[in-house]
CSV table of all heavy atoms in Angstrom, one decimal:
chain,number,residue,atom,x,y,z
U,10,GLY,N,14.4,14.1,-9.6
U,10,GLY,CA,13.8,13.2,-10.5
U,10,GLY,C,13.4,11.9,-9.9
U,10,GLY,O,14.0,11.5,-8.8
U,11,GLU,N,12.5,11.2,-10.5
U,11,GLU,CA,12.0,9.9,-9.9
U,11,GLU,C,13.1,8.9,-9.8
U,11,GLU,O,13.2,8.3,-8.7
U,11,GLU,CB,10.9,9.4,-10.9
U,11,GLU,CG,10.3,8.1,-10.4
U,11,GLU,CD,9.3,7.5,-11.4
U,11,GLU,OE1,9.1,8.2,-12.5
U,11,GLU,OE2,8.7,6.5,-11.1
U,12,MET,N,13.9,8.6,-10.8
U,12,MET,CA,14.9,7.6,-10.7
U,12,MET,C,16.0,8.0,-9.7
U,12,MET,O,16.5,7.1,-9.0
U,12,MET,CB,15.5,7.3,-12.1
U,12,MET,CG,14.5,6.7,-13.1
U,12,MET,SD,13.7,5.2,-12.4
U,12,MET,CE,12.0,5.5,-12.8
U,98,THR,N,4.2,12.5,-3.1
U,98,THR,CA,5.0,13.6,-2.6
U,98,THR,C,4.7,14.8,-3.4
U,98,THR,O,4.7,14.8,-4.6
U,98,THR,CB,6.5,13.3,-2.7
U,98,THR,OG1,7.2,14.5,-2.3
U,98,THR,CG2,7.0,12.8,-4.0
U,100,PRO,N,5.9,17.9,-5.4
U,100,PRO,CA,7.2,18.1,-6.1
U,100,PRO,C,8.2,18.9,-5.3
U,100,PRO,O,9.4,18.8,-5.5
U,100,PRO,CB,6.8,18.8,-7.4
U,100,PRO,CG,5.3,18.4,-7.6
U,100,PRO,CD,4.7,18.3,-6.2
U,129,ASP,N,6.7,2.7,-4.3
U,129,ASP,CA,6.4,3.5,-5.4
U,129,ASP,C,6.4,4.9,-5.0
U,129,ASP,O,6.1,5.3,-3.9
U,129,ASP,CB,5.0,3.1,-6.0
U,129,ASP,CG,4.7,3.7,-7.4
U,129,ASP,OD1,5.6,4.0,-8.1
U,129,ASP,OD2,3.5,3.8,-7.7
U,130,VAL,N,6.9,5.8,-5.9
U,130,VAL,CA,6.9,7.2,-5.7
U,130,VAL,C,6.2,7.9,-6.8
U,130,VAL,O,6.5,7.7,-8.0
U,130,VAL,CB,8.4,7.7,-5.7
U,130,VAL,CG1,8.5,9.2,-5.5
U,130,VAL,CG2,9.2,7.0,-4.6
U,131,VAL,N,5.2,8.7,-6.4
U,131,VAL,CA,4.5,9.5,-7.4
U,131,VAL,C,4.3,10.9,-6.9
U,131,VAL,O,4.4,11.2,-5.6
U,131,VAL,CB,3.1,8.9,-7.7
U,131,VAL,CG1,3.2,7.5,-8.3
U,131,VAL,CG2,2.2,8.9,-6.5
U,132,ALA,N,4.0,11.9,-7.7
U,132,ALA,CA,3.8,13.2,-7.3
U,132,ALA,C,2.3,13.5,-7.1
U,132,ALA,O,1.4,12.9,-7.7
U,132,ALA,CB,4.2,14.2,-8.5
U,133,GLY,N,2.0,14.3,-6.1
U,133,GLY,CA,0.6,14.7,-5.7
U,133,GLY,C,0.6,16.0,-4.9
U,133,GLY,O,1.7,16.5,-4.6
C,71,VAL,N,0.9,3.3,-6.7
C,71,VAL,CA,0.1,4.4,-6.2
C,71,VAL,C,-0.5,5.1,-7.4
C,71,VAL,O,0.3,5.5,-8.3
C,71,VAL,CB,0.8,5.3,-5.2
C,71,VAL,CG1,-0.1,6.4,-4.7
C,71,VAL,CG2,1.5,4.5,-4.1
C,76,VAL,N,-3.3,12.6,-12.2
C,76,VAL,CA,-2.0,12.2,-12.7
C,76,VAL,C,-2.1,10.9,-13.4
C,76,VAL,O,-1.8,10.8,-14.6
C,76,VAL,CB,-1.0,12.1,-11.5
C,76,VAL,CG1,0.4,11.7,-12.1
C,76,VAL,CG2,-0.9,13.5,-10.8
C,77,HIS,N,-2.6,9.9,-12.7
C,77,HIS,CA,-2.7,8.5,-13.3
C,77,HIS,C,-4.1,8.2,-13.8
C,77,HIS,O,-4.2,7.2,-14.5
C,77,HIS,CB,-2.3,7.5,-12.2
C,77,HIS,CG,-1.0,7.7,-11.6
C,77,HIS,ND1,-0.8,8.5,-10.5
C,77,HIS,CD2,0.3,7.3,-12.0
C,77,HIS,CE1,0.5,8.6,-10.2
C,77,HIS,NE2,1.2,7.9,-11.1
C,242,SER,N,4.9,-0.6,-18.4
C,242,SER,CA,4.1,0.5,-17.8
C,242,SER,C,4.6,1.9,-18.1
C,242,SER,O,3.9,2.8,-17.9
C,242,SER,CB,4.1,0.2,-16.3
C,242,SER,OG,5.4,0.1,-15.8
C,243,ASP,N,5.8,2.0,-18.5
C,243,ASP,CA,6.4,3.4,-18.8
C,243,ASP,C,6.9,3.5,-20.2
C,243,ASP,O,7.6,4.5,-20.6
C,243,ASP,CB,7.6,3.6,-17.9
C,243,ASP,CG,7.1,3.8,-16.4
C,243,ASP,OD1,6.0,4.2,-16.2
C,243,ASP,OD2,8.0,3.6,-15.5
C,294,GLU,N,1.5,2.4,-19.5
C,294,GLU,CA,0.3,1.8,-19.1
C,294,GLU,C,-0.3,0.8,-20.1
C,294,GLU,O,-1.5,0.6,-20.2
C,294,GLU,CB,-0.8,2.8,-18.8
C,294,GLU,CG,-0.4,3.8,-17.8
C,294,GLU,CD,-1.4,4.9,-17.4
C,294,GLU,OE1,-2.4,4.9,-18.1
C,294,GLU,OE2,-1.2,5.6,-16.4
C,341,TYR,N,9.0,8.2,-18.7
C,341,TYR,CA,8.2,9.2,-18.0
C,341,TYR,C,8.7,9.3,-16.6
C,341,TYR,O,9.0,8.3,-15.9
C,341,TYR,CB,6.7,8.6,-17.9
C,341,TYR,CG,5.8,9.5,-17.2
C,341,TYR,CD1,5.2,10.6,-17.9
C,341,TYR,CD2,5.4,9.3,-15.9
C,341,TYR,CE1,4.3,11.4,-17.2
C,341,TYR,CE2,4.5,10.1,-15.3
C,341,TYR,CZ,3.9,11.1,-15.9
C,341,TYR,OH,3.0,12.0,-15.3
C,342,ASP,N,8.9,10.6,-16.1
C,342,ASP,CA,9.4,10.8,-14.8
C,342,ASP,C,8.2,11.3,-13.9
C,342,ASP,O,7.7,12.4,-14.2
C,342,ASP,CB,10.5,11.8,-14.8
C,342,ASP,CG,11.2,12.0,-13.4
C,342,ASP,OD1,10.5,12.2,-12.4
C,342,ASP,OD2,12.5,11.8,-13.4
C,343,HIS,N,7.9,10.6,-12.9
C,343,HIS,CA,6.7,10.9,-12.2
C,343,HIS,C,6.8,12.2,-11.3
C,343,HIS,O,5.9,12.7,-10.9
C,343,HIS,CB,6.3,9.7,-11.3
C,343,HIS,CG,5.6,8.6,-12.0
C,343,HIS,ND1,4.3,8.7,-12.3
C,343,HIS,CD2,6.1,7.5,-12.6
C,343,HIS,CE1,3.9,7.6,-13.0
C,343,HIS,NE2,5.0,6.9,-13.1
C,344,LEU,N,8.1,12.5,-11.1
C,344,LEU,CA,8.3,13.7,-10.2
C,344,LEU,C,8.6,15.0,-11.0
C,344,LEU,O,8.5,16.1,-10.5
C,344,LEU,CB,9.4,13.5,-9.2
C,344,LEU,CG,9.2,12.3,-8.3
C,344,LEU,CD1,10.3,12.2,-7.3
C,344,LEU,CD2,7.9,12.5,-7.5
C,345,ALA,N,9.0,14.8,-12.3
C,345,ALA,CA,9.3,16.0,-13.1
C,345,ALA,C,8.8,15.7,-14.5
C,345,ALA,O,9.6,15.6,-15.5
C,345,ALA,CB,10.8,16.2,-13.1
C,346,PRO,N,7.5,15.6,-14.7
C,346,PRO,CA,6.9,15.2,-16.0
C,346,PRO,C,7.3,16.1,-17.2
C,346,PRO,O,7.3,15.6,-18.3
C,346,PRO,CB,5.4,15.3,-15.8
C,346,PRO,CG,5.2,15.4,-14.3
C,346,PRO,CD,6.5,15.9,-13.7
C,349,THR,N,10.0,15.0,-20.0
C,349,THR,CA,9.9,13.8,-20.9
C,349,THR,C,8.9,14.1,-22.0
C,349,THR,O,8.2,15.2,-22.0
C,349,THR,CB,9.4,12.6,-20.1
C,349,THR,OG1,8.0,12.9,-19.8
C,349,THR,CG2,10.1,12.4,-18.8
C,352,ARG,N,3.6,10.2,-22.2
C,352,ARG,CA,2.5,10.1,-21.3
C,352,ARG,C,2.3,11.4,-20.5
C,352,ARG,O,2.7,11.5,-19.3
C,352,ARG,CB,2.8,8.9,-20.3
C,352,ARG,CG,1.5,8.5,-19.6
C,352,ARG,CD,1.6,7.2,-18.8
C,352,ARG,NE,2.4,7.4,-17.6
C,352,ARG,CZ,2.5,6.4,-16.7
C,352,ARG,NH1,2.0,5.2,-17.0
C,352,ARG,NH2,3.2,6.5,-15.6
Side-chain angles (χ1 to χ4, degrees):
Chain U
E11 181 184 0
M12 293 305 134
T98 173
D129 191 21
V130 176
V131 301
Chain C
V71 183
V76 181
H77 304 89
S242 52
D243 291 336
E294 303 183 349
Y341 182 81
D342 190 308
H343 283 276
L344 299 182
T349 72
R352 198 167 74 175

